Amino acid sequence: MKQYVARTLAVLTALTVVLAACATPTPQTVVQTQVVTQIVAGTPVETIVEVTAPAPTEAPPMYAGVTVNVLTFTGPQIAEPLQRHGPEFTALTGATINVITVPFGDLYQKALTDFSTGTNSYDLVVFDPQWMGDYVAGGYLEDLTDRVKASEELAWDDIGPFFRDFSATYQGKAYTVPLDGDFQMVYYRSDFIKTPPNTWDDLITTAGEYQGKDLNGDGQGDYGVCLAMKRSAQSYWMFTSIASAYLQSQGTGQGAFFDTGNMQPLYGDNEAMAKALDVYKQLSTLGPPDQLNLDVGDTRGLFTSGRCALSIDWGDIGTLAIDPATSVVQDKVGAVILPGSAKVLDRATGTLVACDATTCPYADAQGVNHAPFAAFGGWSGAINAASKPEVKDAAFAYLAYVSAPAQSNADVTIGQTGFNPYRASQFLNREQWVKAGMSPAAASNYLGAIEASLASPNMALDLRIPQNAYYQGTVLDTALAQFLAGEIDAKATAKQIADGWNTKTDELGRDAQLAAYQATLGITK
């Protein structure tokens, strides 16, 4: 009897499972055989019957059938990790990630035109967060404030305060997800330069010592400094790295581009600008003969092939230098905060004055003023407000996936990604850097240079007023290219920049532009 009861219960259990499964609609069914016990004339009788049951299925992927079109610049940096993580995300969620790339010089206008014409070809844009103001003002970007705080995978609080509260935020709302952290630094060959340059004059002297010497043992003369100076590329940020040391000394809130009282350009007729242009011109003669045509990708390749004693760059050289496939300078690279100046601009007189406790309150022990430049702000992703709701959801999920510590903590150690550290966990856990190929000393040196920049009370913030792309990418970039080419002298260069900036400021409204500039400088780190 016990055997009968047990067998009956087993069959009833099987049927219960089958019936429960049958309650879920599915596109396919299968036929199974079951042992069924029936009572015939008071006696249990086992019979085999066919039962129609649903095929075992998994829940459909959350974003099956959704395509997210991603716009960014032609890589391989930045585009590479976005393309690599796409299939991973598809396997997890069903969403298709379609990455479209354009040259950096076209990216700002390409996105703006797509948004403003209502074409809306792109659901997600990975771009320079400096441009966020222009896009937000048009209502083109999705407010991500609630999403970033709610996402456990994104780990919002692990992102450094500067990148989270300044780079990703505009007028108190989060519009982007940071994927990268950007500060420019000086890189030097630590195998023969034992004292890295502390001032821009030091850097010129050191570069001069090595210009023309064989630095990689191939019998060919190499270069003192490799510096990107190409027009319509990313070179104008290098000039601001130089100029900021002379223009800003009273802390981040002083600003390095305009007088905060009247919006008059500091890039004008004054001794600080003249000195910065002189440094820039001298550096153009202490590098490769075609330096005026080199972008950052070119100078990075020259440095990692051992051909440069010095370079100025974002965090990329630190990780590219450890790649055994392309680098001959593994564990031969040092990094240091941007050089400074022992003289700074007196804004009342337009002259350079010596650093003292009043003129340079944040000077180092040698009395040198440093203004580490947060150039660019770090590549970040934003979502098109006009995309369909399900596409927005998938786009945000993809951004959270790429930025999550599980992916980004490895990506920032890979040079070809173009992603530099921006999360607290990426600075605290140095084991991952050693695992990637840095020696413990090199990891401490590299991360220490970035941390010194982040911690500086005199950090120079990048320009983020409306149409900053025109101020920098058009007016400044054009004048610098003409100056380096010898078409105009330093005085004419400064005047051309100041005139161009004033014209645009007056066109957009001086009071409004001044208010926007002051607002960006009021950010508390």
Side-chain angles (χ1 to χ4, degrees), residues 252-390:
T252 298
Q254 189 186 24
F257 292 95
F258 294 94
D259 185 309
T260 53
N262 55 22
M263 202 62 184
Q264 283 296 321
L266 301 175
Y267 283 45
D269 184 17
N270 61 66
E271 291 184 2
M273 185 63 175
K275 176 63 178 178
L277 287 169
D278 178 63
V279 170
Y280 196 49
K281 192 65 166 281
Q282 289 193 61
L283 295 179
S284 72
T285 68
L286 297 171
D290 58 345
Q291 183 148 256
L292 271 55
N293 296 317
L294 301 182
D295 199 2
V296 290
D298 305 309
T299 54
R300 289 167 186 168
L302 286 168
F303 192 93
T304 56
S305 63
R307 302 213 62 187
C308 315
L310 296 151
S311 189
I312 301 166
D313 204 330
W314 286 276
D316 302 74
I317 283 182
T319 47
L320 288 168
I322 61 177
D323 185 347
T326 57
S327 173
V328 301
V329 293
Q330 292 171 276
D331 217 19
K332 296 177 181 177
V333 179
V336 66
I337 191 173
L338 284 174
S341 169
K343 291 185 177 181
V344 297
L345 178 66
D346 178 344
R347 297 187 178 186
T349 64
T351 60
L352 284 174
V353 296
C355 276
D356 59 27
T358 301
T359 57
C360 303
Y362 304 109
D364 65 16
Q366 289 73 47
V368 172
N369 178 63
H370 295 267
F373 181 37
F376 198 90
W379 288 91
S380 304
I383 295 172
N384 186 344
S387 292
K388 295 178 181 178
E390 63 272 23

Side-chain angles (χ1 to χ4, degrees), residues 85-375:
H85 289 309
E88 300 167 3
F89 187 73
T90 300
L92 290 170
T93 69
T96 298
I97 303 299
N98 180 33
V99 179
I100 303 109
T101 64
V102 298
F104 178 78
D106 298 339
L107 182 58
Y108 167 81
Q109 193 59 49
K110 191 81 171 177
L112 184 60
T113 301
D114 188 74
F115 292 147
S116 62
T117 59
T119 306
N120 295 315
S121 305
Y122 313 115
D123 308 300
L124 192 164
V125 180
V126 176
F127 68 132
D128 177 355
Q130 282 183 271
W131 306 336
M132 186 171 20
D134 291 346
Y135 298 162
V136 170
Y140 306 137
L141 300 187
E142 182 79 355
D143 178 1
L144 303 179
T145 306
D146 292 338
R147 290 179 187 262
V148 298
K149 292 178 179 176
S151 173
E152 292 184 7
E153 183 178 31
L154 179 58
W156 187 243
D157 289 342
D158 183 47
I159 295 174
F162 172 75
F163 302 109
R164 186 185 63 211
D165 299 335
F166 179 74
S167 293
T169 301
Y170 190 80
Q171 296 180 336
K173 296 180 180 178
Y175 286 96
T176 74
V177 173
L179 303 172
D180 174 34
D182 278 339
F183 273 91
Q184 292 201 330
M185 302 180 288
V186 164
Y187 293 92
Y188 63 96
R189 286 284 298 276
S190 59
D191 49 336
F192 52 77
I193 296 176
K194 300 308 177 186
T195 304
N198 193 40
T199 68
W200 288 105
D201 288 335
D202 292 342
L203 191 141
I204 290 171
T205 299
T206 304
E209 291 174 0
Y210 293 100
Q211 175 70 4
K213 291 186 177 180
D214 180 13
L215 305 180
N216 60 359
D218 65 356
Q220 303 295 316
D222 295 310
Y223 314 118
V225 59
C226 295
L227 184 60
M229 292 183 161
K230 184 177 181 179
R231 184 175 180 175
S232 300
Q234 302 178 63
S235 302
Y236 54 85
W237 279 288
M238 310 295 176
F239 177 75
T240 297
S241 281
I242 298 169
S244 296
Y246 302 98
L247 295 169
Q248 179 186 296
S249 61
Q250 298 297 311
T252 298
Q254 189 186 24
F257 292 95
F258 294 94
D259 185 309
T260 53
N262 55 22
M263 202 62 184
Q264 283 296 321
L266 301 175
Y267 283 45
D269 184 17
N270 61 66
E271 291 184 2
M273 185 63 175
K275 176 63 178 178
L277 287 169
D278 178 63
V279 170
Y280 196 49
K281 192 65 166 281
Q282 289 193 61
L283 295 179
S284 72
T285 68
L286 297 171
D290 58 345
Q291 183 148 256
L292 271 55
N293 296 317
L294 301 182
D295 199 2
V296 290
D298 305 309
T299 54
R300 289 167 186 168
L302 286 168
F303 192 93
T304 56
S305 63
R307 302 213 62 187
C308 315
L310 296 151
S311 189
I312 301 166
D313 204 330
W314 286 276
D316 302 74
I317 283 182
T319 47
L320 288 168
I322 61 177
D323 185 347
T326 57
S327 173
V328 301
V329 293
Q330 292 171 276
D331 217 19
K332 296 177 181 177
V333 179
V336 66
I337 191 173
L338 284 174
S341 169
K343 291 185 177 181
V344 297
L345 178 66
D346 178 344
R347 297 187 178 186
T349 64
T351 60
L352 284 174
V353 296
C355 276
D356 59 27
T358 301
T359 57
C360 303
Y362 304 109
D364 65 16
Q366 289 73 47
V368 172
N369 178 63
H370 295 267
F373 181 37

Side-chain angles (χ1 to χ4, degrees), residues 9 36 275 386 466 505:
L9 287 174
V36 176
K275 176 63 178 178
T505 297

Side-chain angles (χ1 to χ4, degrees), residues 376-429:
F376 198 90
W379 288 91
S380 304
I383 295 172
N384 186 344
S387 292
K388 295 178 181 178
E390 63 272 23
V391 178
K392 291 180 188 177
D393 291 344
F396 179 78
Y398 180 60
L399 279 175
Y401 176 78
V402 176
S403 181
Q407 282 64 247
S408 66
N409 287 3
D411 282 346
V412 295
T413 69
I414 303 170
Q416 65 179 353
T417 65
F419 290 168
N420 302 150
Y422 61 98
R423 288 181 171 275
S425 56
Q426 292 160 1
F427 288 94
L428 294 173
N429 180 13

